[in-house]
Amino acid sequence: AQIESVIDIAPKITHIDSHHNFHRFDSLKDVYIRVAKRYGLAARGGNRKYCKRLSLQGVKSADYCESAWSRGEISAWNFLSLVTATFNELNDFAIVEIITHPGFFDCSLQTLSSLTNQRNEELKVLSSTDLIKQLGKQNIKLVSYEELNHR
């Protein structure tokens, strides 16, 4: 029902996800895959094994979904280090999703989420031209789920 409500408002949704990664629980994985397939949507994955499972089931996903940055120091250097280490570990051309929560903090958000001031810091780092340049120097291209759907 949630997906159909969103499609009614914005028919070009690109992917599904779940709150606090509930889609990674074993008891929900098959349902999550069925929903993604039913609506023809890409899906946020998790570790490499889960991303591969999505792919084998015909669901588009990144090859790996990294969430460590949002739990660590919010800096361009830390982001670049994490991205570099992840690509080195994969030893191949890959699509890596980095979980981030950039945005603007306001009082209403404080009642809804524990991620408040961090959002401002993430937005500042992720929109930094220096970060974009450094990613380019490492031959890392930023893509969206829309581009992933055409992979």
Side-chain angles (χ1 to χ4, degrees):
Q2 284 180 333
I3 292 172
E4 289 175 9
S5 295
V6 171
I7 290 171
D8 286 343
I9 297 167
K12 288 188 73 175
I13 61 174
T14 58
H15 67 286
I16 62 171
D17 190 1
S18 67
H19 190 62
H20 291 290
N21 295 312
F22 277 94
H23 65 277
R24 295 183 187 183
F25 285 94
D26 286 337
S27 60
L28 298 175
K29 287 179 180 177
D30 289 335
V31 172
Y32 185 69
I33 290 168
R34 281 197 313 270
V35 168
K37 288 175 75 170
R38 177 178 177 184
Y39 292 95
L41 296 169
R44 171 169 283 161
N47 62 29
R48 284 188 273 170
K49 182 178 176 184
Y50 189 32
C51 290
K52 185 72 167 175
R53 179 177 176 183
L54 288 166
S55 178
L56 291 173
Q57 293 288 323
V59 176
K60 296 192 179 199
S61 174
D63 299 304
Y64 180 66
C65 184
E66 175 61 72
S67 61
W69 188 61
S70 62
R71 296 187 305 265
E73 175 193 347
I74 306 302
S75 69
W77 183 87
N78 193 33
F79 187 86
L80 285 168
S81 297
L82 177 66
V83 169
T84 301
T86 302
F87 278 115
N88 286 342
E89 184 180 316
L90 293 172
N91 292 322
D92 204 343
F93 168 81
I95 294 179
V96 175
E97 179 178 8
I98 309 291
I99 295 178
T100 62
H101 300 88
F104 298 103
F105 166 69
D106 63 21
C107 294
S108 63
L109 181 62
Q110 194 167 13
T111 63
L112 301 171
S113 175
S114 60
L115 296 171
T116 53
N117 291 333
Q118 174 182 337
R119 292 176 190 265
N120 292 332
E121 291 303 312
E122 287 190 22
L123 181 61
K124 188 177 356 173
V125 169
L126 294 171
S127 59
S128 157
T129 55
D130 288 338
L131 177 64
I132 304 302
K133 285 178 188 175
Q134 290 299 319
L135 291 170
K137 285 180 182 177
Q138 294 184 36
N139 210 19
I140 294 170
K141 180 183 175 192
L142 301 176
V143 298
S144 67
Y145 267 101
E146 188 171 354
E147 291 170 280
L148 178 65
N149 281 324
H150 299 292
R151 180 181 179 197

mmCIF file of all heavy atoms in Angstrom, residues 24-66:
data_model
loop_
_atom_site.group_PDB
_atom_site.id
_atom_site.type_symbol
_atom_site.label_atom_id
_atom_site.label_comp_id
_atom_site.label_asym_id
_atom_site.label_seq_id
_atom_site.Cartn_x
_atom_site.Cartn_y
_atom_site.Cartn_z
ATOM 1 N N ARG A 24 16.917 -6.516 5.755
ATOM 2 C CA ARG A 24 18.049 -7.432 5.908
ATOM 3 C C ARG A 24 17.749 -8.592 6.867
ATOM 4 O O ARG A 24 18.541 -9.522 6.969
ATOM 5 C CB ARG A 24 19.277 -6.670 6.395
ATOM 6 C CG ARG A 24 19.768 -5.657 5.381
ATOM 7 C CD ARG A 24 21.020 -4.978 5.868
ATOM 8 N NE ARG A 24 21.407 -3.892 4.988
ATOM 9 C CZ ARG A 24 22.491 -3.163 5.153
ATOM 10 N NH1 ARG A 24 23.295 -3.399 6.171
ATOM 11 N NH2 ARG A 24 22.771 -2.193 4.317
ATOM 12 N N PHE A 25 16.620 -8.536 7.558
ATOM 13 C CA PHE A 25 16.256 -9.644 8.437
ATOM 14 C C PHE A 25 15.868 -10.851 7.584
ATOM 15 O O PHE A 25 15.112 -10.725 6.616
ATOM 16 C CB PHE A 25 15.085 -9.261 9.356
ATOM 17 C CG PHE A 25 15.463 -8.346 10.475
ATOM 18 C CD1 PHE A 25 15.327 -6.980 10.346
ATOM 19 C CD2 PHE A 25 15.971 -8.864 11.666
ATOM 20 C CE1 PHE A 25 15.673 -6.125 11.377
ATOM 21 C CE2 PHE A 25 16.324 -8.018 12.702
ATOM 22 C CZ PHE A 25 16.186 -6.645 12.556
ATOM 23 N N ASP A 26 16.371 -12.020 7.953
ATOM 24 C CA ASP A 26 16.119 -13.232 7.166
ATOM 25 C C ASP A 26 14.635 -13.461 6.914
ATOM 26 O O ASP A 26 14.246 -13.865 5.817
ATOM 27 C CB ASP A 26 16.719 -14.459 7.861
ATOM 28 C CG ASP A 26 18.230 -14.502 7.740
ATOM 29 O OD1 ASP A 26 18.782 -13.879 6.796
ATOM 30 O OD2 ASP A 26 18.874 -15.147 8.589
ATOM 31 N N SER A 27 13.801 -13.200 7.905
ATOM 32 C CA SER A 27 12.370 -13.470 7.767
ATOM 33 C C SER A 27 11.682 -12.525 6.777
ATOM 34 O O SER A 27 10.558 -12.794 6.351
ATOM 35 C CB SER A 27 11.680 -13.380 9.130
ATOM 36 O OG SER A 27 11.843 -12.078 9.672
ATOM 37 N N LEU A 28 12.348 -11.424 6.385
ATOM 38 C CA LEU A 28 11.731 -10.459 5.482
ATOM 39 C C LEU A 28 12.361 -10.426 4.088
ATOM 40 O O LEU A 28 11.826 -9.785 3.184
ATOM 41 C CB LEU A 28 11.802 -9.055 6.094
ATOM 42 C CG LEU A 28 11.062 -8.880 7.413
ATOM 43 C CD1 LEU A 28 11.295 -7.499 7.974
ATOM 44 C CD2 LEU A 28 9.576 -9.137 7.229
ATOM 45 N N LYS A 29 13.466 -11.107 3.899
ATOM 46 C CA LYS A 29 14.187 -11.013 2.626
ATOM 47 C C LYS A 29 13.339 -11.457 1.438
ATOM 48 O O LYS A 29 13.314 -10.785 0.407
ATOM 49 C CB LYS A 29 15.489 -11.806 2.684
ATOM 50 C CG LYS A 29 16.538 -11.134 3.538
ATOM 51 C CD LYS A 29 17.816 -11.943 3.596
ATOM 52 C CE LYS A 29 18.839 -11.231 4.460
ATOM 53 N NZ LYS A 29 20.072 -12.008 4.599
ATOM 54 N N ASP A 30 12.655 -12.570 1.551
ATOM 55 C CA ASP A 30 11.859 -13.061 0.420
ATOM 56 C C ASP A 30 10.713 -12.107 0.086
ATOM 57 O O ASP A 30 10.416 -11.872 -1.095
ATOM 58 C CB ASP A 30 11.314 -14.459 0.707
ATOM 59 C CG ASP A 30 12.393 -15.524 0.680
ATOM 60 O OD1 ASP A 30 13.430 -15.307 0.006
ATOM 61 O OD2 ASP A 30 12.227 -16.566 1.338
ATOM 62 N N VAL A 31 10.076 -11.540 1.098
ATOM 63 C CA VAL A 31 8.988 -10.584 0.873
ATOM 64 C C VAL A 31 9.527 -9.337 0.181
ATOM 65 O O VAL A 31 8.931 -8.836 -0.780
ATOM 66 C CB VAL A 31 8.306 -10.204 2.212
ATOM 67 C CG1 VAL A 31 7.315 -9.066 2.024
ATOM 68 C CG2 VAL A 31 7.637 -11.413 2.823
ATOM 69 N N TYR A 32 10.652 -8.853 0.650
ATOM 70 C CA TYR A 32 11.292 -7.668 0.078
ATOM 71 C C TYR A 32 11.607 -7.891 -1.406
ATOM 72 O O TYR A 32 11.316 -7.034 -2.251
ATOM 73 C CB TYR A 32 12.561 -7.394 0.879
ATOM 74 C CG TYR A 32 13.319 -6.145 0.543
ATOM 75 C CD1 TYR A 32 12.814 -4.883 0.833
ATOM 76 C CD2 TYR A 32 14.582 -6.227 -0.028
ATOM 77 C CE1 TYR A 32 13.543 -3.735 0.566
ATOM 78 C CE2 TYR A 32 15.318 -5.083 -0.300
ATOM 79 C CZ TYR A 32 14.794 -3.838 -0.004
ATOM 80 O OH TYR A 32 15.525 -2.711 -0.264
ATOM 81 N N ILE A 33 12.135 -9.045 -1.726
ATOM 82 C CA ILE A 33 12.461 -9.376 -3.112
ATOM 83 C C ILE A 33 11.192 -9.458 -3.961
ATOM 84 O O ILE A 33 11.146 -8.941 -5.074
ATOM 85 C CB ILE A 33 13.283 -10.682 -3.180
ATOM 86 C CG1 ILE A 33 14.691 -10.442 -2.599
ATOM 87 C CG2 ILE A 33 13.362 -11.216 -4.604
ATOM 88 C CD1 ILE A 33 15.499 -11.702 -2.349
ATOM 89 N N ARG A 34 10.152 -10.093 -3.432
ATOM 90 C CA ARG A 34 8.893 -10.192 -4.178
ATOM 91 C C ARG A 34 8.298 -8.804 -4.458
ATOM 92 O O ARG A 34 7.793 -8.551 -5.550
ATOM 93 C CB ARG A 34 7.883 -11.057 -3.426
ATOM 94 C CG ARG A 34 8.141 -12.547 -3.581
ATOM 95 C CD ARG A 34 6.945 -13.401 -3.194
ATOM 96 N NE ARG A 34 6.314 -13.069 -1.940
ATOM 97 C CZ ARG A 34 6.637 -13.593 -0.751
ATOM 98 N NH1 ARG A 34 7.602 -14.486 -0.652
ATOM 99 N NH2 ARG A 34 5.987 -13.236 0.334
ATOM 100 N N VAL A 35 8.361 -7.917 -3.468
ATOM 101 C CA VAL A 35 7.825 -6.562 -3.650
ATOM 102 C C VAL A 35 8.626 -5.818 -4.713
ATOM 103 O O VAL A 35 8.050 -5.177 -5.600
ATOM 104 C CB VAL A 35 7.808 -5.792 -2.310
ATOM 105 C CG1 VAL A 35 7.528 -4.314 -2.517
ATOM 106 C CG2 VAL A 35 6.793 -6.404 -1.348
ATOM 107 N N ALA A 36 9.944 -5.914 -4.647
ATOM 108 C CA ALA A 36 10.788 -5.239 -5.643
ATOM 109 C C ALA A 36 10.463 -5.748 -7.045
ATOM 110 O O ALA A 36 10.327 -4.955 -7.990
ATOM 111 C CB ALA A 36 12.263 -5.456 -5.319
ATOM 112 N N LYS A 37 10.318 -7.051 -7.186
ATOM 113 C CA LYS A 37 10.024 -7.639 -8.497
ATOM 114 C C LYS A 37 8.628 -7.244 -8.979
ATOM 115 O O LYS A 37 8.439 -6.929 -10.149
ATOM 116 C CB LYS A 37 10.168 -9.154 -8.429
ATOM 117 C CG LYS A 37 11.622 -9.599 -8.317
ATOM 118 C CD LYS A 37 11.753 -11.080 -8.128
ATOM 119 C CE LYS A 37 11.490 -11.804 -9.418
ATOM 120 N NZ LYS A 37 11.836 -13.228 -9.345
ATOM 121 N N ARG A 38 7.669 -7.259 -8.075
ATOM 122 C CA ARG A 38 6.291 -6.932 -8.448
ATOM 123 C C ARG A 38 6.192 -5.533 -9.044
ATOM 124 O O ARG A 38 5.451 -5.315 -10.004
ATOM 125 C CB ARG A 38 5.378 -7.036 -7.227
ATOM 126 C CG ARG A 38 3.954 -6.635 -7.519
ATOM 127 C CD ARG A 38 3.070 -6.782 -6.327
ATOM 128 N NE ARG A 38 1.734 -6.325 -6.655
ATOM 129 C CZ ARG A 38 0.758 -6.268 -5.793
ATOM 130 N NH1 ARG A 38 0.943 -6.670 -4.549
ATOM 131 N NH2 ARG A 38 -0.418 -5.828 -6.146
ATOM 132 N N TYR A 39 6.939 -4.592 -8.462
ATOM 133 C CA TYR A 39 6.863 -3.210 -8.917
ATOM 134 C C TYR A 39 8.002 -2.826 -9.859
ATOM 135 O O TYR A 39 8.082 -1.687 -10.302
ATOM 136 C CB TYR A 39 6.813 -2.257 -7.717
ATOM 137 C CG TYR A 39 5.517 -2.396 -6.956
ATOM 138 C CD1 TYR A 39 5.429 -3.219 -5.837
ATOM 139 C CD2 TYR A 39 4.369 -1.751 -7.386
ATOM 140 C CE1 TYR A 39 4.232 -3.363 -5.151
ATOM 141 C CE2 TYR A 39 3.168 -1.896 -6.714
ATOM 142 C CZ TYR A 39 3.104 -2.706 -5.594
ATOM 143 O OH TYR A 39 1.920 -2.852 -4.939
ATOM 144 N N GLY A 40 8.862 -3.784 -10.172
ATOM 145 C CA GLY A 40 9.957 -3.515 -11.097
ATOM 146 C C GLY A 40 10.938 -2.478 -10.575
ATOM 147 O O GLY A 40 11.439 -1.651 -11.334
ATOM 148 N N LEU A 41 11.213 -2.539 -9.280
ATOM 149 C CA LEU A 41 12.085 -1.551 -8.651
ATOM 150 C C LEU A 41 13.413 -2.149 -8.239
ATOM 151 O O LEU A 41 13.498 -3.313 -7.847
ATOM 152 C CB LEU A 41 11.401 -0.980 -7.395
ATOM 153 C CG LEU A 41 10.115 -0.198 -7.647
ATOM 154 C CD1 LEU A 41 9.404 0.075 -6.326
ATOM 155 C CD2 LEU A 41 10.416 1.092 -8.387
ATOM 156 N N ALA A 42 14.448 -1.331 -8.320
ATOM 157 C CA ALA A 42 15.726 -1.718 -7.722
ATOM 158 C C ALA A 42 15.536 -1.714 -6.205
ATOM 159 O O ALA A 42 14.536 -1.192 -5.695
ATOM 160 C CB ALA A 42 16.811 -0.718 -8.124
ATOM 161 N N ALA A 43 16.487 -2.298 -5.500
ATOM 162 C CA ALA A 43 16.339 -2.398 -4.046
ATOM 163 C C ALA A 43 17.674 -2.161 -3.349
ATOM 164 O O ALA A 43 18.718 -2.589 -3.844
ATOM 165 C CB ALA A 43 15.807 -3.778 -3.662
ATOM 166 N N ARG A 44 17.616 -1.494 -2.216
ATOM 167 C CA ARG A 44 18.823 -1.362 -1.392
ATOM 168 C C ARG A 44 19.153 -2.746 -0.864
ATOM 169 O O ARG A 44 18.290 -3.481 -0.411
ATOM 170 C CB ARG A 44 18.578 -0.418 -0.224
ATOM 171 C CG ARG A 44 19.757 -0.458 0.762
ATOM 172 C CD ARG A 44 19.717 0.625 1.776
ATOM 173 N NE ARG A 44 20.165 1.843 1.120
ATOM 174 C CZ ARG A 44 19.915 3.050 1.595
ATOM 175 N NH1 ARG A 44 19.229 3.213 2.686
ATOM 176 N NH2 ARG A 44 20.360 4.114 0.960
ATOM 177 N N GLY A 45 20.410 -3.073 -0.933
ATOM 178 C CA GLY A 45 20.844 -4.393 -0.501
ATOM 179 C C GLY A 45 21.461 -4.380 0.883
ATOM 180 O O GLY A 45 20.878 -3.889 1.836
ATOM 181 N N GLY A 46 22.658 -4.873 0.946
ATOM 182 C CA GLY A 46 23.368 -5.001 2.214
ATOM 183 C C GLY A 46 24.763 -5.514 1.917
ATOM 184 O O GLY A 46 25.468 -4.962 1.080
ATOM 185 N N ASN A 47 25.123 -6.612 2.547
ATOM 186 C CA ASN A 47 26.448 -7.182 2.290
ATOM 187 C C ASN A 47 26.482 -7.765 0.868
ATOM 188 O O ASN A 47 25.474 -7.835 0.173
ATOM 189 C CB ASN A 47 26.818 -8.220 3.349
ATOM 190 C CG ASN A 47 25.864 -9.412 3.376
ATOM 191 O OD1 ASN A 47 25.264 -9.789 2.369
ATOM 192 N ND2 ASN A 47 25.716 -10.010 4.534
ATOM 193 N N ARG A 48 27.667 -8.183 0.450
ATOM 194 C CA ARG A 48 27.809 -8.671 -0.931
ATOM 195 C C ARG A 48 26.926 -9.882 -1.202
ATOM 196 O O ARG A 48 26.374 -10.021 -2.295
ATOM 197 C CB ARG A 48 29.266 -8.988 -1.234
ATOM 198 C CG ARG A 48 30.064 -7.714 -1.471
ATOM 199 C CD ARG A 48 31.434 -8.006 -1.941
ATOM 200 N NE ARG A 48 32.279 -8.201 -0.775
ATOM 201 C CZ ARG A 48 33.502 -8.651 -0.800
ATOM 202 N NH1 ARG A 48 34.065 -8.988 -1.920
ATOM 203 N NH2 ARG A 48 34.197 -8.787 0.297
ATOM 204 N N LYS A 49 26.792 -10.755 -0.226
ATOM 205 C CA LYS A 49 25.980 -11.959 -0.407
ATOM 206 C C LYS A 49 24.514 -11.590 -0.665
ATOM 207 O O LYS A 49 23.864 -12.137 -1.557
ATOM 208 C CB LYS A 49 26.101 -12.845 0.839
ATOM 209 C CG LYS A 49 25.340 -14.134 0.745
ATOM 210 C CD LYS A 49 25.544 -14.972 1.993
ATOM 211 C CE LYS A 49 24.696 -16.223 1.954
ATOM 212 N NZ LYS A 49 24.807 -17.001 3.198
ATOM 213 N N TYR A 50 24.002 -10.638 0.098
ATOM 214 C CA TYR A 50 22.610 -10.236 -0.072
ATOM 215 C C TYR A 50 22.412 -9.492 -1.390
ATOM 216 O O TYR A 50 21.424 -9.714 -2.103
ATOM 217 C CB TYR A 50 22.152 -9.389 1.112
ATOM 218 C CG TYR A 50 20.670 -9.102 1.136
ATOM 219 C CD1 TYR A 50 19.741 -9.998 0.638
ATOM 220 C CD2 TYR A 50 20.187 -7.920 1.671
ATOM 221 C CE1 TYR A 50 18.384 -9.738 0.674
ATOM 222 C CE2 TYR A 50 18.830 -7.648 1.718
ATOM 223 C CZ TYR A 50 17.940 -8.557 1.210
ATOM 224 O OH TYR A 50 16.593 -8.296 1.238
ATOM 225 N N CYS A 51 23.352 -8.634 -1.758
ATOM 226 C CA CYS A 51 23.259 -7.933 -3.046
ATOM 227 C C CYS A 51 23.272 -8.936 -4.199
ATOM 228 O O CYS A 51 22.530 -8.792 -5.167
ATOM 229 C CB CYS A 51 24.391 -6.918 -3.177
ATOM 230 S SG CYS A 51 24.217 -5.495 -2.078
ATOM 231 N N LYS A 52 24.100 -9.958 -4.086
ATOM 232 C CA LYS A 52 24.164 -11.006 -5.120
ATOM 233 C C LYS A 52 22.832 -11.759 -5.186
ATOM 234 O O LYS A 52 22.337 -12.076 -6.278
ATOM 235 C CB LYS A 52 25.316 -11.959 -4.810
ATOM 236 C CG LYS A 52 25.550 -13.007 -5.849
ATOM 237 C CD LYS A 52 26.151 -12.392 -7.086
ATOM 238 C CE LYS A 52 26.676 -13.466 -7.996
ATOM 239 N NZ LYS A 52 27.157 -12.917 -9.241
ATOM 240 N N ARG A 53 22.237 -12.035 -4.029
ATOM 241 C CA ARG A 53 20.946 -12.719 -3.987
ATOM 242 C C ARG A 53 19.881 -11.898 -4.706
ATOM 243 O O ARG A 53 19.084 -12.444 -5.476
ATOM 244 C CB ARG A 53 20.538 -12.963 -2.532
ATOM 245 C CG ARG A 53 19.199 -13.639 -2.379
ATOM 246 C CD ARG A 53 18.888 -13.910 -0.938
ATOM 247 N NE ARG A 53 17.561 -14.473 -0.787
ATOM 248 C CZ ARG A 53 17.018 -14.757 0.369
ATOM 249 N NH1 ARG A 53 17.696 -14.564 1.484
ATOM 250 N NH2 ARG A 53 15.806 -15.257 0.425
ATOM 251 N N LEU A 54 19.878 -10.591 -4.469
ATOM 252 C CA LEU A 54 18.931 -9.725 -5.159
ATOM 253 C C LEU A 54 19.137 -9.831 -6.675
ATOM 254 O O LEU A 54 18.180 -10.002 -7.429
ATOM 255 C CB LEU A 54 19.108 -8.273 -4.703
ATOM 256 C CG LEU A 54 18.621 -7.943 -3.298
ATOM 257 C CD1 LEU A 54 19.156 -6.579 -2.855
ATOM 258 C CD2 LEU A 54 17.109 -7.965 -3.221
ATOM 259 N N SER A 55 20.377 -9.745 -7.091
ATOM 260 C CA SER A 55 20.710 -9.802 -8.507
ATOM 261 C C SER A 55 20.270 -11.121 -9.138
ATOM 262 O O SER A 55 19.689 -11.142 -10.221
ATOM 263 C CB SER A 55 22.213 -9.599 -8.689
ATOM 264 O OG SER A 55 22.565 -9.698 -10.037
ATOM 265 N N LEU A 56 20.551 -12.226 -8.454
ATOM 266 C CA LEU A 56 20.172 -13.543 -8.973
ATOM 267 C C LEU A 56 18.655 -13.702 -9.076
ATOM 268 O O LEU A 56 18.167 -14.494 -9.877
ATOM 269 C CB LEU A 56 20.769 -14.650 -8.103
ATOM 270 C CG LEU A 56 22.287 -14.790 -8.185
ATOM 271 C CD1 LEU A 56 22.789 -15.797 -7.146
ATOM 272 C CD2 LEU A 56 22.717 -15.208 -9.585
ATOM 273 N N GLN A 57 17.925 -12.942 -8.262
ATOM 274 C CA GLN A 57 16.460 -12.985 -8.306
ATOM 275 C C GLN A 57 15.891 -11.984 -9.314
ATOM 276 O O GLN A 57 14.684 -11.820 -9.420
ATOM 277 C CB GLN A 57 15.893 -12.686 -6.910
ATOM 278 C CG GLN A 57 16.188 -13.743 -5.878
ATOM 279 C CD GLN A 57 15.383 -15.004 -6.118
ATOM 280 O OE1 GLN A 57 14.227 -14.952 -6.526
ATOM 281 N NE2 GLN A 57 15.990 -16.138 -5.878
ATOM 282 N N GLY A 58 16.777 -11.279 -10.031
ATOM 283 C CA GLY A 58 16.325 -10.332 -11.039
ATOM 284 C C GLY A 58 16.027 -8.942 -10.511
ATOM 285 O O GLY A 58 15.379 -8.146 -11.186
ATOM 286 N N VAL A 59 16.499 -8.639 -9.313
ATOM 287 C CA VAL A 59 16.289 -7.321 -8.717
ATOM 288 C C VAL A 59 17.593 -6.534 -8.819
ATOM 289 O O VAL A 59 18.637 -7.000 -8.368
ATOM 290 C CB VAL A 59 15.851 -7.439 -7.234
ATOM 291 C CG1 VAL A 59 15.721 -6.065 -6.604
ATOM 292 C CG2 VAL A 59 14.546 -8.218 -7.123
ATOM 293 N N LYS A 60 17.522 -5.360 -9.397
ATOM 294 C CA LYS A 60 18.726 -4.538 -9.513
ATOM 295 C C LYS A 60 19.096 -3.963 -8.153
ATOM 296 O O LYS A 60 18.232 -3.564 -7.375
ATOM 297 C CB LYS A 60 18.515 -3.433 -10.528
ATOM 298 C CG LYS A 60 18.309 -4.038 -11.901
ATOM 299 C CD LYS A 60 18.386 -3.040 -12.979
ATOM 300 C CE LYS A 60 18.172 -3.813 -14.270
ATOM 301 N NZ LYS A 60 18.604 -3.167 -15.419
ATOM 302 N N SER A 61 20.396 -3.974 -7.903
ATOM 303 C CA SER A 61 20.921 -3.510 -6.628
ATOM 304 C C SER A 61 22.375 -3.122 -6.828
ATOM 305 O O SER A 61 23.008 -3.560 -7.790
ATOM 306 C CB SER A 61 20.814 -4.647 -5.595
ATOM 307 O OG SER A 61 21.431 -4.285 -4.386
ATOM 308 N N ALA A 62 22.898 -2.329 -5.915
ATOM 309 C CA ALA A 62 24.340 -2.097 -5.904
ATOM 310 C C ALA A 62 25.007 -3.440 -5.610
ATOM 311 O O ALA A 62 24.352 -4.398 -5.165
ATOM 312 C CB ALA A 62 24.700 -1.076 -4.831
ATOM 313 N N ASP A 63 26.303 -3.519 -5.840
ATOM 314 C CA ASP A 63 27.030 -4.750 -5.550
ATOM 315 C C ASP A 63 27.353 -4.879 -4.070
ATOM 316 O O ASP A 63 27.646 -5.959 -3.579
ATOM 317 C CB ASP A 63 28.336 -4.787 -6.363
ATOM 318 C CG ASP A 63 28.040 -4.752 -7.853
ATOM 319 O OD1 ASP A 63 27.284 -5.627 -8.316
ATOM 320 O OD2 ASP A 63 28.540 -3.843 -8.537
ATOM 321 N N TYR A 64 27.300 -3.750 -3.382
ATOM 322 C CA TYR A 64 27.596 -3.731 -1.950
ATOM 323 C C TYR A 64 27.006 -2.453 -1.373
ATOM 324 O O TYR A 64 27.006 -1.412 -2.024
ATOM 325 C CB TYR A 64 29.105 -3.771 -1.729
ATOM 326 C CG TYR A 64 29.528 -3.757 -0.275
ATOM 327 C CD1 TYR A 64 29.234 -4.823 0.554
ATOM 328 C CD2 TYR A 64 30.218 -2.681 0.247
ATOM 329 C CE1 TYR A 64 29.618 -4.814 1.882
ATOM 330 C CE2 TYR A 64 30.612 -2.666 1.581
ATOM 331 C CZ TYR A 64 30.307 -3.741 2.387
ATOM 332 O OH TYR A 64 30.677 -3.726 3.698
ATOM 333 N N CYS A 65 26.511 -2.526 -0.167
ATOM 334 C CA CYS A 65 25.924 -1.374 0.505
ATOM 335 C C CYS A 65 26.698 -1.129 1.797
ATOM 336 O O CYS A 65 26.653 -1.945 2.721
ATOM 337 C CB CYS A 65 24.448 -1.651 0.780
ATOM 338 S SG CYS A 65 23.585 -0.266 1.506
ATOM 339 N N GLU A 66 27.422 -0.031 1.844
ATOM 340 C CA GLU A 66 28.299 0.305 2.975
ATOM 341 C C GLU A 66 27.624 1.318 3.889
ATOM 342 O O GLU A 66 27.160 2.357 3.432
ATOM 343 C CB GLU A 66 29.616 0.872 2.433
ATOM 344 C CG GLU A 66 30.566 1.374 3.471
ATOM 345 C CD GLU A 66 30.997 0.291 4.437
ATOM 346 O OE1 GLU A 66 31.778 -0.585 4.038
ATOM 347 O OE2 GLU A 66 30.537 0.328 5.598
#
